[in-house]
Amino acid sequence: MTALNVSPLGPLTPDTDDLSAYLAADEVIDHGHPEIRALAARLRGPDPVATARAAFAYVLDEIDHSADVGVWSAAYRASEVLATRNGICHAKSHLLAALLRAEGIPTGLCYQKLEVLHGLNAVYWAQTGQWVRLDARGNRNGADARFTTEPAEERTAWTNDPARGDLHYPTVYAAPPAALLAGLAEARQDVAGFGYLPPAL
């Protein structure tokens, strides 16, 4: 790690120093589910980077973003997202976190303030001791995210427009914030839009 290897999107700070929190299963990141475990095992590579790259590619390309395909599952629990193969950005970030945690890779949740609150992940790379953003939203309709293990190379689906007040929040959450969960619980299958999401954190 070099002093110059800093994120162009701003630094990241975990909301707890306990790394085990970023490996935990809960009601949303339910990586104890047998289908999550089975997929994680199929995607397992020879090392954590290869495993994370495969899981990222799977969620990016094999799980549809609801807005891209015009099908709104309302799923947000990782196992339900996998079952429906569809969800919004928050849903996809929950699935990626579950797949990586199932393989012992500490993974958290990050957020970006755009016109709507965007959800993505941060992965802790033990070899450098750094958190790095990964955005598996899906690269359609102008989105252009990339996999990396280097903060300096972070590229999320959407760039910030400072004139509009866009920003990346610095906190890496071990679990989805309560206000977001309350909003996600209001989503309804086959109902388009993001009006249930909080506008900011």
Side-chain angles (χ1 to χ4, degrees):
M1 181 178 69
T2 68
L4 296 178
N5 193 13
V6 296
S7 171
L9 307 179
L12 286 170
T13 304
D15 66 354
T16 174
D17 292 329
D18 181 5
L19 269 183
S20 69
Y22 297 95
L23 294 169
D26 58 30
E27 185 178 339
V28 174
I29 304 172
D30 57 342
H31 62 74
H33 190 282
E35 294 300 323
I36 298 282
R37 304 296 292 192
L39 177 58
R42 290 199 301 272
L43 295 172
R44 185 182 302 141
D47 57 59
V49 172
T51 297
R53 188 185 300 275
F56 173 81
Y58 182 91
V59 177
L60 184 82
D61 297 329
E62 302 299 327
I63 305 297
D64 289 327
H65 189 289
S66 301
D68 290 341
V69 296
V71 176
W72 298 78
S73 72
Y76 65 91
R77 181 177 291 110
S79 59
E80 293 173 353
V81 177
L82 180 57
T84 61
R85 301 178 65 84
N86 176 290
I88 65 169
C89 56
H90 301 281
K92 295 183 72 165
S93 73
H94 299 161
L95 177 56
L96 182 57
L99 291 170
L100 296 184
R101 289 184 185 188
E103 291 298 306
I105 300 171
T107 306
L109 305 168
C110 291
Y111 301 97
Q112 182 182 11
K113 183 181 180 296
L114 300 169
E115 292 181 27
V116 298
L117 185 67
H118 177 55
L120 55 146
N121 296 94
V123 175
Y124 180 78
W125 297 113
Q127 66 270 31
T128 62
Q130 291 184 290
W131 288 95
V132 178
R133 291 177 180 89
L134 293 179
D135 189 346
R137 178 237 179 257
N139 285 340
R140 301 185 196 176
N141 297 322
D144 189 22
R146 294 288 183 267
F147 179 88
T148 185
T149 61
E150 301 293 334
E153 297 174 2
E154 285 180 350
R155 188 157 77 182
T156 55
W158 310 114
T159 58
N160 288 330
D161 179 354
R164 198 172 56 193
D166 297 350
L167 57 87
H168 282 276
Y169 290 100
T171 303
V172 182
Y173 293 88
L180 174 61
L181 279 183
L184 291 171
E186 294 297 317
R188 294 294 177 261
Q189 186 175 352
D190 299 326
V191 176
F194 304 98
Y196 51 85
L197 294 176
L201 291 178

